[in-house]
Amino acid sequence: MENNNLSKHQTFYAIGLSYKKADAEVRGKFSLSDVAKANLLLQAKEEAIDNLIVTSTCNRTEIYGFAQHPFQLIKLLCENSQGTIEEFQKVAHIYKNYEAISHLFKVGTGLDSQILGDFEIISQIKTSFAQSKSLGLANAFMERLVNAVIQASKKIKTDTEISSGATSVSFASVQYIMKNVENIGEKNILLFGTGKIGRNTCENLVKHSKNEHITLINRTKDKAEKLAGKLNLIVKDYADLQTEVQKADVLVVATGAQNPTIDKAILNLKKPILILDLSIPKNVHENVQELENVTLVHLDDLSQITDETLENRKLHIPAAEIIIEEIKDEFITWMNGRKYAPTIHALKAKLNNIKETELNFQRKKLSNFDEEQAELISNRIIQKITNHFANHLKDDSTMVDESIDWIERVFQIEPIK
């Protein structure tokens, strides 16, 4: 049976880890670079795992897909990251079938985000799906599921205030700087790394701090220059990093490097510095804290900042959950229809075979056999019988898998693909 729905032949899983159980160091080991993610998807194809999406963000790394056993997906993750199976088992979550579907809805709508209502994750899910689809690794089930999650995300953002107020990892970092650095508008701020979080942080800094002393450095200079051009900021070469760090009062690190790019060896400090590490894996070595002039704050520390905005957002969780349930129920109704449709078609074909056999017998037996009337009556009976079974399978209280199995065994049929 094609694995485009939940079935007894394949199970839909959501496996991975997140900020809830895994700290930044462990999440860093399981984070996937763009190259690692591409390799994982290609390996999945080779291993006949043909329907999955992979997300890897600062807060979580997860695989959603069909498999005979979750270990098939866990193996893919561990073989394409720095994490081990033993480490995974300590911090992992594994959801299956309906729980896995519910989990993706919570993640995609920001209810499972480290900062409640952070909607950046939905764009990452869209990108992950597009990548899988381009490789032929996302079928009708996955496309419908992702579209349902996108629909729920949009509706929650429009109909509730759970995303009201500017709160995200990047905004939380700016909030922290504003609260902990006096006269921020006069301080030298250095932003190292201009990926998505780096760009958002930079835009928030310009908007809220009114600071004109922000310098950008990125390994690829033209990316920094594009951002600087929009915001009228200074750009320096990567080779100038050590010099610029010494001038900085605040250093924001948001690179995608797999190993620390900042350590105490390059900090020849003459004044105090606040360092914010917004990277996963961590890009600032813990040894910088051995220097007395350094204050180091990591992503996970920022997410624990609770302010009025976040407290207000919590009030809108029930409304968001109602929207999720409505759209999820629509998806499950569609999914169950796809699940039992092949069995209903097979049942109808079986009854038609029985009908033809009986009609042939009656033709030979009866000289005045009314072909047209017999055909009409028997077709109506077959339609009524199949409708009864279809309505039973549509009922919310029905155990669909068990009922399908029962129908197939009683009528000795194989579902029509």
Side-chain angles (χ1 to χ4, degrees):
M1 184 183 290
E2 188 181 344
N3 61 351
N4 58 4
N5 46 48
L6 301 189
S7 77
K8 60 191 176 186
H9 303 287
Q10 292 273 345
T11 301
F12 181 63
Y13 289 104
I15 69 101
L17 60 151
S18 74
Y19 68 93
K20 289 186 173 180
K21 289 185 179 179
D23 62 21
E25 184 176 350
V26 174
R27 296 203 307 277
K29 291 182 180 180
F30 287 94
S31 69
L32 299 168
S33 64
D34 290 342
V35 172
K37 190 194 283 191
N39 289 339
L40 188 155
L41 293 172
L42 292 174
Q43 184 180 335
K45 286 193 83 166
E46 291 172 3
E47 296 180 4
I49 299 170
D50 57 2
N51 189 32
L52 79 170
I53 61 172
V54 183
T55 61
S56 186
T57 72
C58 57
N59 291 330
R60 68 183 68 247
T61 298
E62 294 180 319
I63 299 176
Y64 299 88
F66 283 88
Q68 299 288 352
H69 191 278
F71 184 74
Q72 292 171 281
L73 304 180
I74 296 166
K75 175 174 170 286
L76 283 174
L77 176 57
C78 292
E79 290 182 357
N80 288 280
S81 70
Q82 302 301 312
T84 66
I85 290 172
E86 290 74 22
E87 288 171 314
F88 181 87
Q89 289 172 331
K90 290 176 183 176
V91 298
H93 53 253
I94 299 173
Y95 301 109
K96 61 187 288 189
N97 291 341
Y98 295 103
E99 285 186 346
I101 290 169
S102 294
H103 180 66
L104 182 55
F105 269 95
K106 284 189 70 176
V107 170
T109 55
L111 293 193
D112 200 64
S113 293
Q114 194 167 23
I115 295 179
L116 177 66
D118 186 345
F119 279 89
E120 290 181 9
I121 183 67
I122 194 63
S123 65
Q124 291 154 341
I125 289 172
K126 287 181 190 177
T127 301
S128 297
F129 172 75
Q131 186 177 11
S132 290
K133 189 175 181 181
S134 70
L135 293 170
L137 288 169
N139 62 11
F141 170 92
M142 192 67 80
E143 183 158 16
R144 183 82 175 220
L145 175 57
V146 169
N147 284 337
V149 173
I150 293 169
Q151 181 188 352
S153 175
K154 286 179 180 176
K155 190 169 177 59
I156 288 170
K157 199 167 187 179
T158 302
D159 295 1
T160 78
E161 294 180 29
I162 203 165
S163 61
S164 62
T167 299
S168 62
V169 169
S170 54
F171 184 73
S173 65
V174 174
Q175 270 191 315
Y176 184 89
I177 293 169
M178 301 274 292
K179 287 178 181 178
N180 291 277
V181 180
E182 292 183 7
N183 303 318
I184 186 61
E186 301 169 12
K187 302 296 184 182
N188 292 322
I189 301 175
L190 173 61
L191 179 69
F192 177 34
T194 55
K196 186 165 186 179
I197 289 180
R199 290 196 305 272
N200 290 345
T201 301
C202 191
E203 288 167 0
N204 276 314
L205 275 169
V206 170
K207 179 179 178 181
H208 297 286
S209 72
K210 311 299 182 187
N211 189 301
E212 297 181 359
H213 309 282
I214 300 175
T215 301
L216 306 182
I217 292 180
N218 195 60
R219 287 179 186 273
T220 310
K221 190 176 181 181
D222 62 338
K223 288 184 179 179
E225 286 173 338
K226 285 179 184 176
L227 180 60
K230 291 180 185 177
L231 303 173
N232 195 28
L233 305 175
I234 303 162
V235 176
K236 294 287 185 176
D237 291 325
Y238 177 62
D240 296 326
L241 178 62
Q242 187 167 2
T243 303
E244 293 302 318
V245 167
Q246 290 170 26
K247 297 178 187 176
D249 299 292
V250 177
L251 168 62
V252 179
V253 183
T255 78
Q258 294 299 301
N259 296 300
T261 52
I262 302 291
D263 61 22
K264 72 174 185 178
I266 72 166
L267 299 182
N268 184 17
L269 301 176
K270 297 180 175 61
K271 59 180 178 177
I273 186 170
L274 169 63
I275 302 177
L276 275 68
D277 186 359
L278 308 184
S279 311
I280 293 289
K282 289 182 177 180
N283 273 201
V284 180
H285 200 289
E286 295 289 340
N287 65 16
V288 300
Q289 295 184 96
E290 296 170 13
L291 303 174
E292 61 180 49
N293 281 340
V294 173
T295 301
L296 174 63
V297 178
H298 191 261
L299 183 76
D300 286 357
D301 305 315
L302 294 170
S303 66
Q304 293 168 12
I305 298 171
T306 55
D307 62 5
E308 190 177 346
T309 299
L310 286 174
E311 290 304 312
N312 287 339
R313 286 184 174 193
K314 290 177 183 177
L315 301 175
H316 303 284
I317 291 175
E321 289 176 334
I322 289 170
I323 291 170
I324 289 173
E325 285 305 309
E326 288 174 356
I327 295 174
K328 187 174 70 174
D329 285 348
E330 290 174 7
F331 171 77
I332 288 173
T333 298
W334 171 85
M335 179 190 70
N336 284 337
R338 285 181 68 86
K339 183 189 293 187
Y340 64 68
T343 299
I344 293 297
H345 292 322
L347 173 61
K348 195 167 188 178
K350 179 77 171 188
L351 294 175
N352 275 313
N353 286 336
I354 294 171
K355 176 197 81 171
E356 289 302 324
T357 301
E358 186 60 29
L359 291 184
N360 285 333
F361 175 76
Q362 296 300 333
R363 285 187 194 101
K364 295 173 184 175
K365 187 176 180 181
L366 301 174
S367 57
N368 61 341
F369 180 66
D370 189 333
E371 181 97 31
E372 186 177 342
Q373 190 71 9
E375 187 78 27
L376 179 65
I377 293 170
S378 55
N379 283 344
R380 283 178 61 84
I381 291 171
I382 287 171
Q383 189 60 50
K384 286 180 181 294
I385 291 171
T386 52
N387 283 347
H388 271 287
F389 279 106
N391 288 334
H392 165 73
L393 291 168
K394 287 178 185 177
D395 194 290
D396 289 341
S397 62
T398 298
M399 302 290 286
V400 177
D401 287 334
E402 291 180 10
S403 293
I404 288 174
D405 189 54
W406 180 84
I407 293 167
E408 290 174 2
R409 283 191 289 111
V410 168
F411 288 95
Q412 298 179 328
I413 56 176
E414 287 289 333
I416 298 173
K417 295 179 181 179

